[in-house]
Amino acid sequence: MNRRSFAFRGILASGVSITGSSLATEPTQGMERLPFKPEGYNFWTWRGHKIHYVVQGEGLPIVLIHGFGASSYHWRYNIPELAKKYKVYAVDLLGFGWSEKALIEYDAMVWRDQVVDFLKEIVKEPAVLVGNSLGGFTALVAAVGFPDQVVGLALLNSAGQFGNPNEKMDEPEESILQKFVLKPLKEVFQRVVLGFLFWQAKQPARIESVLKSVYINTSNVDDYLVESITMPAADPNAGEVYYRLMTRFMLNQSKYTLNSALSELRCPLLLLWGDLDPWVGPAKANRIKEFYPNSTLVNLKAGHCPHDEVPELVNKSLMDWLSSLKPEASLQTL
């Protein structure tokens, strides 16, 4: 992944900027769309931080987890349809969307813990996790971290990488020159560069341009989608969260690998994959399926966000798979 796509993914979210919004674009023809509320829907306090989530419907709980730079509004065409048969939650990860822009050290395990506690405190019963991109990897490690309450997992163009289990990542000891001269200079340079990149990345025209590069059919790249990204980026802490993510999380993803997580997964896995994704191609989906046999792969002619680009296909595939789940059997060890 190159720096340009990094810059887009770091458009952080939250802020509960509640300026009025008038989104003129019409929803995808024939599909119900989650109403855009600038003030958000529901809030939960987690470790002293405000977390935003949406909930609709009744039935087996489905928890939707967005990708980097997005929010629960990215599931706008999935929530209403899935809620006709299931109880659907969509949660904003800490640092994104309408959740708080907390000034903490971000790590994949922070979001894992958030989702696990969301299952314990809000959902309170066995559920299916569904995640796109960063949300996919978060869903995976949460399913591993709380196996008794996750009866199924669906990944849409998931983040994460396979690692070499025999490779050791020992960090060399810092010299005095590195610690007191070079490292501080590097941090100053990073702040200047990333500050500019964040300013550039949060501009509506830039967001629209990047979205169109990862949506094969760009008809759903509309005012609703763009505003759901730009509003949270106006939060006063968004720039600092962006800096922390870019320097301490995004560049250190090799710490957690897909193979280590998949080796501990216990539930059925659905792979809904946009095969035309310029960031995460179909080879990864094939490798995941080969590594974890208890999986179903559905290939879609879409880009990085198939749930929003071809929501009717994703909804049908997901509901077909959900109807085949047997919760009591899905928790058995492979």
Side-chain angles (χ1 to χ4, degrees), residues 257-309:
T257 63
L258 286 170
N259 34 308
S260 63
L262 288 168
S263 65
E264 298 183 52
L265 189 65
R266 292 169 47 188
C267 64
L269 172 63
L270 173 65
L271 300 168
L272 290 171
W273 221 265
D275 281 353
L276 305 179
D277 183 352
W279 290 347
V280 186
K284 179 187 277 189
N286 293 331
R287 190 172 178 186
I288 292 173
K289 181 170 173 54
E290 181 181 352
F291 189 95
Y292 191 76
N294 190 16
S295 60
T296 302
L297 173 60
V298 177
N299 300 98
L300 301 165
K301 290 185 178 180
H304 189 62
C305 310
H307 59 294
D308 193 57
E309 185 180 342

Short mmCIF file of all heavy atoms in Angstrom, two decimals, residues 257-309:
data_model
loop_
_atom_site.label_atom_id
_atom_site.label_comp_id
_atom_site.label_asym_id
_atom_site.label_seq_id
_atom_site.Cartn_x
_atom_site.Cartn_y
_atom_site.Cartn_z
N THR A 257 -0.44 -11.00 12.63
CA THR A 257 -0.57 -11.60 11.30
C THR A 257 -1.87 -12.36 11.14
O THR A 257 -2.48 -12.81 12.13
CB THR A 257 0.59 -12.57 11.03
OG1 THR A 257 0.55 -13.64 11.99
CG2 THR A 257 1.93 -11.84 11.14
N LEU A 258 -2.28 -12.53 9.89
CA LEU A 258 -3.50 -13.28 9.61
C LEU A 258 -3.35 -14.74 10.00
O LEU A 258 -4.27 -15.34 10.55
CB LEU A 258 -3.83 -13.17 8.12
CG LEU A 258 -4.39 -11.84 7.63
CD1 LEU A 258 -4.45 -11.81 6.11
CD2 LEU A 258 -5.79 -11.60 8.21
N ASN A 259 -2.19 -15.33 9.72
CA ASN A 259 -2.04 -16.75 10.01
C ASN A 259 -2.11 -17.04 11.51
O ASN A 259 -2.69 -18.03 11.94
CB ASN A 259 -0.78 -17.34 9.40
CG ASN A 259 0.40 -16.41 9.34
OD1 ASN A 259 0.28 -15.29 8.85
ND2 ASN A 259 1.53 -16.84 9.85
N SER A 260 -1.55 -16.12 12.32
CA SER A 260 -1.61 -16.35 13.77
C SER A 260 -3.05 -16.26 14.29
O SER A 260 -3.46 -17.04 15.16
CB SER A 260 -0.71 -15.36 14.51
OG SER A 260 -1.16 -14.03 14.32
N ALA A 261 -3.82 -15.31 13.74
CA ALA A 261 -5.22 -15.17 14.17
C ALA A 261 -6.08 -16.31 13.63
O ALA A 261 -6.88 -16.92 14.36
CB ALA A 261 -5.78 -13.83 13.72
N LEU A 262 -5.93 -16.63 12.35
CA LEU A 262 -6.75 -17.68 11.74
C LEU A 262 -6.49 -19.04 12.38
O LEU A 262 -7.40 -19.88 12.45
CB LEU A 262 -6.47 -17.75 10.23
CG LEU A 262 -7.02 -16.60 9.39
CD1 LEU A 262 -6.42 -16.64 7.99
CD2 LEU A 262 -8.54 -16.64 9.32
N SER A 263 -5.29 -19.25 12.85
CA SER A 263 -4.97 -20.54 13.47
C SER A 263 -5.73 -20.75 14.77
O SER A 263 -5.85 -21.88 15.26
CB SER A 263 -3.46 -20.64 13.73
OG SER A 263 -3.05 -19.67 14.69
N GLU A 264 -6.28 -19.67 15.36
CA GLU A 264 -7.04 -19.78 16.61
C GLU A 264 -8.53 -19.59 16.40
O GLU A 264 -9.31 -19.70 17.35
CB GLU A 264 -6.53 -18.74 17.61
CG GLU A 264 -5.08 -18.91 18.01
CD GLU A 264 -4.66 -17.89 19.05
OE1 GLU A 264 -5.35 -17.77 20.08
OE2 GLU A 264 -3.66 -17.19 18.83
N LEU A 265 -8.97 -19.31 15.17
CA LEU A 265 -10.39 -19.07 14.90
C LEU A 265 -11.17 -20.37 15.02
O LEU A 265 -10.69 -21.43 14.62
CB LEU A 265 -10.54 -18.47 13.50
CG LEU A 265 -11.94 -17.96 13.12
CD1 LEU A 265 -12.34 -16.77 13.99
CD2 LEU A 265 -11.96 -17.54 11.64
N ARG A 266 -12.40 -20.28 15.55
CA ARG A 266 -13.21 -21.48 15.79
C ARG A 266 -14.54 -21.48 15.06
O ARG A 266 -15.25 -22.50 15.08
CB ARG A 266 -13.46 -21.63 17.30
CG ARG A 266 -12.23 -21.97 18.11
CD ARG A 266 -12.49 -21.83 19.61
NE ARG A 266 -13.72 -22.48 20.04
CZ ARG A 266 -14.24 -22.38 21.26
NH1 ARG A 266 -13.63 -21.61 22.15
NH2 ARG A 266 -15.34 -22.99 21.58
N CYS A 267 -14.96 -20.40 14.47
CA CYS A 267 -16.31 -20.31 13.90
C CYS A 267 -16.27 -20.31 12.36
O CYS A 267 -15.22 -20.10 11.75
CB CYS A 267 -17.00 -19.05 14.40
SG CYS A 267 -16.20 -17.52 13.88
N PRO A 268 -17.41 -20.52 11.71
CA PRO A 268 -17.49 -20.45 10.25
C PRO A 268 -17.09 -19.05 9.75
O PRO A 268 -17.38 -18.05 10.40
CB PRO A 268 -18.96 -20.74 9.96
CG PRO A 268 -19.45 -21.50 11.14
CD PRO A 268 -18.71 -20.94 12.31
N LEU A 269 -16.45 -19.03 8.59
CA LEU A 269 -15.94 -17.79 8.01
C LEU A 269 -16.51 -17.59 6.62
O LEU A 269 -16.49 -18.50 5.78
CB LEU A 269 -14.41 -17.85 7.95
CG LEU A 269 -13.69 -16.73 7.20
CD1 LEU A 269 -13.92 -15.38 7.88
CD2 LEU A 269 -12.20 -17.03 7.12
N LEU A 270 -17.03 -16.38 6.37
CA LEU A 270 -17.48 -15.98 5.04
C LEU A 270 -16.54 -14.92 4.50
O LEU A 270 -16.28 -13.92 5.19
CB LEU A 270 -18.91 -15.44 5.09
CG LEU A 270 -19.45 -14.83 3.79
CD1 LEU A 270 -19.59 -15.88 2.70
CD2 LEU A 270 -20.80 -14.13 4.04
N LEU A 271 -16.06 -15.11 3.27
CA LEU A 271 -15.22 -14.12 2.61
C LEU A 271 -16.01 -13.51 1.47
O LEU A 271 -16.33 -14.18 0.48
CB LEU A 271 -13.95 -14.78 2.07
CG LEU A 271 -13.06 -15.47 3.12
CD1 LEU A 271 -12.01 -16.33 2.43
CD2 LEU A 271 -12.40 -14.43 4.02
N LEU A 272 -16.39 -12.25 1.62
CA LEU A 272 -17.06 -11.49 0.56
C LEU A 272 -16.02 -10.56 -0.03
O LEU A 272 -15.64 -9.58 0.61
CB LEU A 272 -18.25 -10.70 1.14
CG LEU A 272 -19.45 -11.52 1.61
CD1 LEU A 272 -20.44 -10.65 2.35
CD2 LEU A 272 -20.13 -12.19 0.43
N TRP A 273 -15.58 -10.86 -1.25
CA TRP A 273 -14.38 -10.18 -1.74
C TRP A 273 -14.61 -9.45 -3.06
O TRP A 273 -15.03 -10.04 -4.06
CB TRP A 273 -13.27 -11.21 -1.94
CG TRP A 273 -11.94 -10.68 -1.49
CD1 TRP A 273 -10.99 -10.08 -2.25
CD2 TRP A 273 -11.43 -10.69 -0.14
NE1 TRP A 273 -9.92 -9.71 -1.47
CE2 TRP A 273 -10.16 -10.09 -0.17
CE3 TRP A 273 -11.93 -11.15 1.07
CZ2 TRP A 273 -9.38 -9.93 0.97
CZ3 TRP A 273 -11.15 -11.00 2.19
CH2 TRP A 273 -9.89 -10.40 2.15
N GLY A 274 -14.32 -8.14 -3.04
CA GLY A 274 -14.32 -7.35 -4.27
C GLY A 274 -13.05 -7.67 -5.04
O GLY A 274 -11.96 -7.24 -4.66
N ASP A 275 -13.17 -8.43 -6.13
CA ASP A 275 -11.99 -8.90 -6.85
C ASP A 275 -11.25 -7.81 -7.61
O ASP A 275 -10.12 -8.02 -8.04
CB ASP A 275 -12.41 -9.99 -7.85
CG ASP A 275 -12.62 -11.34 -7.18
OD1 ASP A 275 -12.32 -11.45 -5.98
OD2 ASP A 275 -13.09 -12.27 -7.86
N LEU A 276 -11.87 -6.65 -7.76
CA LEU A 276 -11.23 -5.57 -8.52
C LEU A 276 -10.62 -4.51 -7.61
O LEU A 276 -10.31 -3.41 -8.05
CB LEU A 276 -12.27 -4.93 -9.47
CG LEU A 276 -12.97 -5.93 -10.41
CD1 LEU A 276 -14.00 -5.20 -11.28
CD2 LEU A 276 -11.95 -6.65 -11.29
N ASP A 277 -10.43 -4.86 -6.36
CA ASP A 277 -9.85 -3.96 -5.35
C ASP A 277 -8.39 -3.67 -5.70
O ASP A 277 -7.57 -4.59 -5.78
CB ASP A 277 -9.94 -4.64 -3.98
CG ASP A 277 -9.44 -3.77 -2.84
OD1 ASP A 277 -8.88 -2.69 -3.10
OD2 ASP A 277 -9.62 -4.19 -1.68
N PRO A 278 -8.02 -2.39 -5.91
CA PRO A 278 -6.61 -2.07 -6.21
C PRO A 278 -5.70 -2.19 -4.99
O PRO A 278 -4.48 -2.18 -5.14
CB PRO A 278 -6.69 -0.62 -6.70
CG PRO A 278 -7.89 -0.05 -6.00
CD PRO A 278 -8.88 -1.19 -5.92
N TRP A 279 -6.27 -2.28 -3.77
CA TRP A 279 -5.48 -2.36 -2.54
C TRP A 279 -5.33 -3.80 -2.05
O TRP A 279 -4.25 -4.20 -1.62
CB TRP A 279 -6.12 -1.51 -1.43
CG TRP A 279 -6.03 -0.04 -1.65
CD1 TRP A 279 -5.25 0.62 -2.57
CD2 TRP A 279 -6.76 0.97 -0.95
NE1 TRP A 279 -5.45 1.98 -2.48
CE2 TRP A 279 -6.37 2.22 -1.49
CE3 TRP A 279 -7.69 0.95 0.08
CZ2 TRP A 279 -6.88 3.44 -1.03
CZ3 TRP A 279 -8.21 2.15 0.54
CH2 TRP A 279 -7.80 3.38 -0.01
N VAL A 280 -6.43 -4.55 -2.04
CA VAL A 280 -6.42 -5.90 -1.48
C VAL A 280 -7.06 -6.84 -2.50
O VAL A 280 -8.28 -6.97 -2.54
CB VAL A 280 -7.20 -5.97 -0.15
CG1 VAL A 280 -7.05 -7.36 0.47
CG2 VAL A 280 -6.73 -4.90 0.83
N GLY A 281 -6.26 -7.47 -3.32
CA GLY A 281 -6.77 -8.29 -4.41
C GLY A 281 -7.29 -9.65 -3.99
O GLY A 281 -7.20 -10.04 -2.81
N PRO A 282 -7.82 -10.42 -4.94
CA PRO A 282 -8.43 -11.73 -4.65
C PRO A 282 -7.43 -12.79 -4.18
O PRO A 282 -7.83 -13.79 -3.59
CB PRO A 282 -9.07 -12.12 -5.98
CG PRO A 282 -8.29 -11.36 -7.02
CD PRO A 282 -7.92 -10.06 -6.37
N ALA A 283 -6.13 -12.58 -4.43
CA ALA A 283 -5.14 -13.57 -4.00
C ALA A 283 -5.17 -13.75 -2.49
O ALA A 283 -4.98 -14.87 -1.98
CB ALA A 283 -3.74 -13.14 -4.46
N LYS A 284 -5.42 -12.67 -1.76
CA LYS A 284 -5.47 -12.78 -0.30
C LYS A 284 -6.67 -13.63 0.13
O LYS A 284 -6.54 -14.47 1.03
CB LYS A 284 -5.56 -11.41 0.36
CG LYS A 284 -5.65 -11.49 1.88
CD LYS A 284 -5.91 -10.14 2.55
CE LYS A 284 -4.63 -9.39 2.73
NZ LYS A 284 -4.81 -8.18 3.57
N ALA A 285 -7.82 -13.42 -0.51
CA ALA A 285 -9.00 -14.22 -0.16
C ALA A 285 -8.75 -15.70 -0.42
O ALA A 285 -9.12 -16.56 0.40
CB ALA A 285 -10.21 -13.73 -0.96
N ASN A 286 -8.12 -16.00 -1.54
CA ASN A 286 -7.82 -17.40 -1.86
C ASN A 286 -6.87 -18.00 -0.83
O ASN A 286 -7.02 -19.16 -0.44
CB ASN A 286 -7.20 -17.48 -3.25
CG ASN A 286 -8.18 -17.10 -4.35
OD1 ASN A 286 -9.38 -17.28 -4.20
ND2 ASN A 286 -7.67 -16.56 -5.45
N ARG A 287 -5.91 -17.21 -0.38
CA ARG A 287 -4.95 -17.72 0.60
C ARG A 287 -5.61 -17.94 1.95
O ARG A 287 -5.32 -18.91 2.66
CB ARG A 287 -3.78 -16.75 0.73
CG ARG A 287 -2.63 -17.33 1.55
CD ARG A 287 -1.41 -16.45 1.51
NE ARG A 287 -0.35 -17.01 2.36
CZ ARG A 287 0.80 -16.40 2.61
NH1 ARG A 287 1.05 -15.21 2.09
NH2 ARG A 287 1.71 -16.97 3.39
N ILE A 288 -6.53 -17.03 2.33
CA ILE A 288 -7.26 -17.20 3.60
C ILE A 288 -8.09 -18.48 3.56
O ILE A 288 -8.10 -19.27 4.50
CB ILE A 288 -8.15 -15.98 3.88
CG1 ILE A 288 -7.30 -14.74 4.17
CG2 ILE A 288 -9.09 -16.26 5.07
CD1 ILE A 288 -8.10 -13.46 4.30
N LYS A 289 -8.78 -18.68 2.44
CA LYS A 289 -9.63 -19.87 2.31
C LYS A 289 -8.78 -21.15 2.37
O LYS A 289 -9.18 -22.15 2.97
CB LYS A 289 -10.43 -19.83 1.00
CG LYS A 289 -11.34 -21.03 0.81
CD LYS A 289 -12.28 -20.84 -0.35
CE LYS A 289 -13.07 -22.13 -0.63
NZ LYS A 289 -13.77 -22.63 0.56
N GLU A 290 -7.62 -21.12 1.74
CA GLU A 290 -6.73 -22.28 1.76
C GLU A 290 -6.22 -22.54 3.18
O GLU A 290 -6.13 -23.69 3.62
CB GLU A 290 -5.55 -22.03 0.82
CG GLU A 290 -4.57 -23.19 0.74
CD GLU A 290 -3.40 -22.90 -0.19
OE1 GLU A 290 -3.43 -21.86 -0.89
OE2 GLU A 290 -2.44 -23.71 -0.21
N PHE A 291 -5.94 -21.46 3.91
CA PHE A 291 -5.41 -21.59 5.27
C PHE A 291 -6.49 -22.05 6.24
O PHE A 291 -6.22 -22.81 7.17
CB PHE A 291 -4.81 -20.26 5.71
CG PHE A 291 -4.05 -20.33 7.01
CD1 PHE A 291 -2.67 -20.50 7.01
CD2 PHE A 291 -4.69 -20.21 8.24
CE1 PHE A 291 -1.95 -20.57 8.20
CE2 PHE A 291 -3.98 -20.28 9.43
CZ PHE A 291 -2.60 -20.46 9.41
N TYR A 292 -7.74 -21.57 6.02
CA TYR A 292 -8.84 -21.85 6.96
C TYR A 292 -9.97 -22.54 6.20
O TYR A 292 -10.83 -21.87 5.60
CB TYR A 292 -9.32 -20.54 7.59
CG TYR A 292 -10.27 -20.74 8.75
CD1 TYR A 292 -9.81 -21.14 10.01
CD2 TYR A 292 -11.64 -20.52 8.61
CE1 TYR A 292 -10.67 -21.33 11.07
CE2 TYR A 292 -12.52 -20.71 9.66
CZ TYR A 292 -12.03 -21.11 10.89
OH TYR A 292 -12.89 -21.30 11.96
N PRO A 293 -9.99 -23.85 6.16
CA PRO A 293 -10.96 -24.59 5.34
C PRO A 293 -12.42 -24.34 5.67
O PRO A 293 -13.29 -24.47 4.79
CB PRO A 293 -10.58 -26.06 5.59
CG PRO A 293 -9.16 -26.02 6.05
CD PRO A 293 -9.04 -24.75 6.83
N ASN A 294 -12.74 -24.00 6.92
CA ASN A 294 -14.13 -23.77 7.31
C ASN A 294 -14.59 -22.39 6.85
O ASN A 294 -15.06 -21.57 7.63
CB ASN A 294 -14.29 -23.90 8.83
CG ASN A 294 -15.76 -23.91 9.26
OD1 ASN A 294 -16.65 -24.11 8.44
ND2 ASN A 294 -15.98 -23.68 10.54
N SER A 295 -14.44 -22.15 5.55
CA SER A 295 -14.77 -20.83 5.00
C SER A 295 -15.49 -20.96 3.68
O SER A 295 -15.36 -21.96 2.97
CB SER A 295 -13.49 -19.99 4.84
OG SER A 295 -12.59 -20.63 3.97
N THR A 296 -16.25 -19.93 3.38
CA THR A 296 -16.98 -19.82 2.11
C THR A 296 -16.52 -18.55 1.42
O THR A 296 -16.48 -17.49 2.04
CB THR A 296 -18.50 -19.74 2.37
OG1 THR A 296 -18.92 -20.90 3.10
CG2 THR A 296 -19.28 -19.63 1.07
N LEU A 297 -16.18 -18.65 0.15
CA LEU A 297 -15.69 -17.49 -0.60
C LEU A 297 -16.70 -17.08 -1.66
O LEU A 297 -17.14 -17.91 -2.47
CB LEU A 297 -14.34 -17.81 -1.25
CG LEU A 297 -13.77 -16.77 -2.20
CD1 LEU A 297 -13.54 -15.43 -1.51
CD2 LEU A 297 -12.47 -17.26 -2.83
N VAL A 298 -17.08 -15.81 -1.63
CA VAL A 298 -17.96 -15.24 -2.66
C VAL A 298 -17.20 -14.11 -3.35
O VAL A 298 -16.82 -13.13 -2.71
CB VAL A 298 -19.26 -14.69 -2.04
CG1 VAL A 298 -20.12 -14.04 -3.13
CG2 VAL A 298 -20.03 -15.79 -1.33
N ASN A 299 -16.94 -14.27 -4.62
CA ASN A 299 -16.22 -13.26 -5.40
C ASN A 299 -17.21 -12.29 -6.03
O ASN A 299 -18.22 -12.69 -6.59
CB ASN A 299 -15.39 -13.93 -6.50
CG ASN A 299 -14.37 -14.90 -5.94
OD1 ASN A 299 -14.60 -16.10 -5.91
ND2 ASN A 299 -13.25 -14.38 -5.48
N LEU A 300 -16.90 -11.00 -5.90
CA LEU A 300 -17.78 -9.94 -6.39
C LEU A 300 -17.02 -9.02 -7.34
O LEU A 300 -15.84 -8.75 -7.12
CB LEU A 300 -18.33 -9.13 -5.22
CG LEU A 300 -19.11 -9.91 -4.17
CD1 LEU A 300 -19.28 -9.08 -2.91
CD2 LEU A 300 -20.47 -10.32 -4.72
N LYS A 301 -17.68 -8.56 -8.36
CA LYS A 301 -17.06 -7.60 -9.28
C LYS A 301 -17.20 -6.20 -8.68
O LYS A 301 -18.10 -5.44 -9.01
CB LYS A 301 -17.73 -7.67 -10.66
CG LYS A 301 -17.42 -8.96 -11.40
CD LYS A 301 -17.99 -8.97 -12.80
CE LYS A 301 -17.63 -10.26 -13.53
NZ LYS A 301 -18.19 -10.28 -14.91
N ALA A 302 -16.30 -5.91 -7.76
CA ALA A 302 -16.35 -4.63 -7.04
C ALA A 302 -14.96 -4.31 -6.54
O ALA A 302 -14.03 -5.11 -6.67
CB ALA A 302 -17.34 -4.73 -5.88
N GLY A 303 -14.82 -3.12 -5.93
CA GLY A 303 -13.55 -2.68 -5.41
C GLY A 303 -13.39 -2.98 -3.93
O GLY A 303 -13.86 -4.00 -3.43
N HIS A 304 -12.77 -2.03 -3.21
CA HIS A 304 -12.37 -2.26 -1.82
C HIS A 304 -13.54 -2.29 -0.85
O HIS A 304 -13.43 -2.86 0.23
CB HIS A 304 -11.39 -1.16 -1.41
CG HIS A 304 -10.74 -1.40 -0.08
ND1 HIS A 304 -9.93 -2.49 0.16
CD2 HIS A 304 -10.80 -0.70 1.09
CE1 HIS A 304 -9.50 -2.44 1.41
NE2 HIS A 304 -10.02 -1.38 2.01
N CYS A 305 -14.66 -1.68 -1.21
CA CYS A 305 -15.81 -1.56 -0.30
C CYS A 305 -17.06 -2.16 -0.95
O CYS A 305 -18.02 -1.45 -1.26
CB CYS A 305 -16.06 -0.09 0.06
SG CYS A 305 -14.59 0.79 0.62
N PRO A 306 -17.10 -3.46 -1.15
CA PRO A 306 -18.22 -4.06 -1.87
C PRO A 306 -19.57 -3.86 -1.20
O PRO A 306 -20.60 -3.78 -1.86
CB PRO A 306 -17.85 -5.55 -1.93
CG PRO A 306 -16.85 -5.76 -0.85
CD PRO A 306 -16.09 -4.46 -0.74
N HIS A 307 -19.57 -3.75 0.14
CA HIS A 307 -20.84 -3.57 0.87
C HIS A 307 -21.54 -2.27 0.50
O HIS A 307 -22.76 -2.16 0.61
CB HIS A 307 -20.60 -3.61 2.37
CG HIS A 307 -19.65 -2.57 2.86
ND1 HIS A 307 -18.31 -2.56 2.52
CD2 HIS A 307 -19.82 -1.49 3.66
CE1 HIS A 307 -17.72 -1.54 3.10
NE2 HIS A 307 -18.61 -0.87 3.78
N ASP A 308 -20.77 -1.26 0.06
CA ASP A 308 -21.37 0.02 -0.33
C ASP A 308 -21.45 0.17 -1.84
O ASP A 308 -22.30 0.88 -2.35
CB ASP A 308 -20.56 1.18 0.26
CG ASP A 308 -21.28 2.50 0.16
OD1 ASP A 308 -22.42 2.60 0.68
OD2 ASP A 308 -20.73 3.45 -0.45
N GLU A 309 -20.59 -0.51 -2.55
CA GLU A 309 -20.59 -0.41 -4.02
C GLU A 309 -21.65 -1.31 -4.65
O GLU A 309 -22.37 -0.90 -5.56
CB GLU A 309 -19.20 -0.78 -4.57
CG GLU A 309 -19.11 -0.58 -6.06
CD GLU A 309 -17.74 -0.95 -6.61
OE1 GLU A 309 -16.76 -1.01 -5.83
OE2 GLU A 309 -17.63 -1.17 -7.83
#
